[in-house]
């Protein structure tokens, strides 16, 4: 058993951590403390811009894998399970090195996708109110934000995300991240973001990521983005 645990520590892979947990007598991979919330709308809600099959696979398999892997880590590191995900991602340096990469990838993946589902399922259109004013102030207008966001998303090499971050004073900025990294790891908050991993668009758009980025705005739920904006200014926005 020591050998198995030691090997999983060295590899630092969540998949190995899960298999180690299985070898130690779990009937199945640990089911908590992290949960995969159901999509807040049917998988067809973002049609025709994002197809139902992509939504289903993305949520039920990709996001589910991040959650399962995170639970595998927590099964081995019970002290980490007591700390909120926001705090783990903000202070990755405080996470034991053996599982730091697994927490970074799978915790980041859980946080990013939780945000992502929340801000989609809408009818697109344009932001309103305080959020519109902030976009006008910080990007020079909604069309300019879209241009900068789409260009940045297109330029992410390989897998990653493009985000609009929000500071506690309401200031907005654009940032891209590789893999499942999140602005939370820099002490910031993600107001909204788009997933540019191929799994997010390949079935419908194949290699045409710019077309996906452009179409994605049609499913943004601006009421939810506005809620996140208000929460950020109130200091209550988490992931
Ligand atoms: Mn994804």
């Amino acid at each position: 058993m020591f050998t198995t645990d030691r090997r999983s520590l060295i590899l630092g892979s969540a998949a190995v951590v899960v298999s180690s947990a299985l070898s130690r007598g779990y009937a199945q991979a640990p089911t908590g403390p992290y949960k995969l919330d159901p999509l807040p709308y049917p998988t067809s809600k973002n049609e025709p811009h994002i197809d139902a099959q992509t939504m289903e696979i993305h949520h039920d398999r990709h996001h589910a894998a991040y959650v399962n892997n995170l639970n595998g880590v927590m099964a081995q590191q019970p002290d980490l399970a007591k700390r909120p995900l926001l705090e783990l991602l903000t202070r990755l340096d405080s996470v034991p090195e053996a599982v730091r990469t697994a927490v970074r990838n799978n915790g980041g993946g859980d946080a990013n996708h939780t945000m992502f589902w929340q801000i989609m399922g809408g009818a697109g259109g344009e932001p309103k109110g305080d959020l519109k004013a902030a976009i006008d102030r910080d990007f020079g207008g909604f069309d300019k934000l879209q241009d900068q966001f789409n260009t940045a998303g297109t330029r992410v090499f390989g897998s990653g995300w493009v985000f609009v971050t929000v500071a506690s004073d309401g200031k907005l900025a654009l940032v891209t991240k590789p893999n499942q990294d999140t602005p939370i790891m820099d002490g910031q908050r993600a107001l909204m973001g788009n997933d540019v991993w191929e799994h997010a668009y390949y079935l419908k758009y194949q290699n045409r990521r710019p077309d996906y980025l452009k179409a994605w705005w049609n499913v943004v739920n601006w009421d939810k983005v506005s809620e996140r904006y208000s929460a950020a200014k109130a200091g209550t926005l988490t992931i």
Side-chain angles (χ1 to χ4, degrees):
M1 184 180 286
F2 175 80
T3 306
T4 305
D5 286 349
R6 181 70 187 153
R7 200 163 69 90
S8 72
L9 290 174
I10 291 167
L11 292 176
S13 150
V16 172
V17 171
V18 170
S19 67
S20 173
L22 289 171
S23 74
R24 289 185 298 149
Y26 289 96
Q28 55 188 12
T31 55
Y34 288 90
K35 297 283 182 201
L36 178 67
D37 291 332
L39 271 181
Y41 38 74
T43 53
S44 60
K45 186 71 164 57
N46 298 309
E47 293 265 12
H49 307 290
I50 299 174
D51 59 287
Q53 189 183 13
T54 293
M55 289 297 299
E56 181 186 337
I57 293 170
H58 200 170
H59 177 272
D60 296 359
R61 300 193 210 169
H62 290 277
H63 188 179
Y66 301 129
V67 173
N68 289 340
N69 290 339
L70 202 47
N71 284 330
V73 172
M74 298 302 148
Q76 291 222 331
Q77 301 270 351
D79 287 348
L80 291 185
K82 298 172 193 156
R83 296 167 58 187
L85 182 58
L86 176 70
E87 200 257 342
L88 295 178
L89 296 176
T90 304
R91 297 203 48 228
L92 274 175
D93 61 323
S94 72
V95 172
E97 199 173 351
V99 295
R100 192 176 301 153
T101 299
V103 170
R104 179 178 197 142
N105 291 341
N106 297 291
D110 185 32
N112 285 338
H113 289 84
T114 299
M115 172 277 296
F116 190 55
W117 310 134
Q118 186 185 105
I119 60 145
M120 288 164 54
E126 299 202 3
K128 299 187 186 90
D130 286 355
L131 177 57
K132 175 185 163 29
I135 288 170
D136 289 347
R137 180 193 65 211
D138 296 332
F139 294 101
F142 180 50
D143 55 342
K144 291 205 171 57
L145 164 61
Q146 287 181 301
D147 284 347
Q148 291 175 41
F149 188 99
N150 292 353
T151 299
T154 299
R155 286 180 180 165
V156 171
F157 184 76
S159 299
W161 290 75
V162 51
F163 297 96
V164 174
T165 60
V166 57
S168 56
D169 64 359
K171 172 88 176 154
L172 305 178
L174 200 65
V175 67
T176 60
K177 290 284 177 188
N179 306 313
Q180 293 297 348
D181 284 2
T182 147
I184 294 168
M185 294 166 185
D186 304 323
Q188 301 176 334
R189 292 289 182 277
L191 173 67
M192 63 189 295
N194 195 356
D195 185 344
V196 298
W197 284 57
E198 284 186 342
H199 66 228
Y201 62 86
Y202 206 83
L203 288 181
K204 183 177 175 73
Y205 295 93
Q206 294 85 48
N207 61 321
R208 302 187 310 278
R209 188 194 288 178
D211 292 351
Y212 159 72
L213 278 156
K214 194 174 168 193
W216 178 78
W217 294 98
N218 291 305
V219 303
V220 171
N221 183 332
W222 286 110
D223 289 341
K224 290 294 179 190
V225 180
S226 286
E227 284 174 22
R228 292 179 66 84
Y229 185 66
S230 298
K233 290 204 295 182
T236 56
L237 182 63
T238 57
I239 57 171

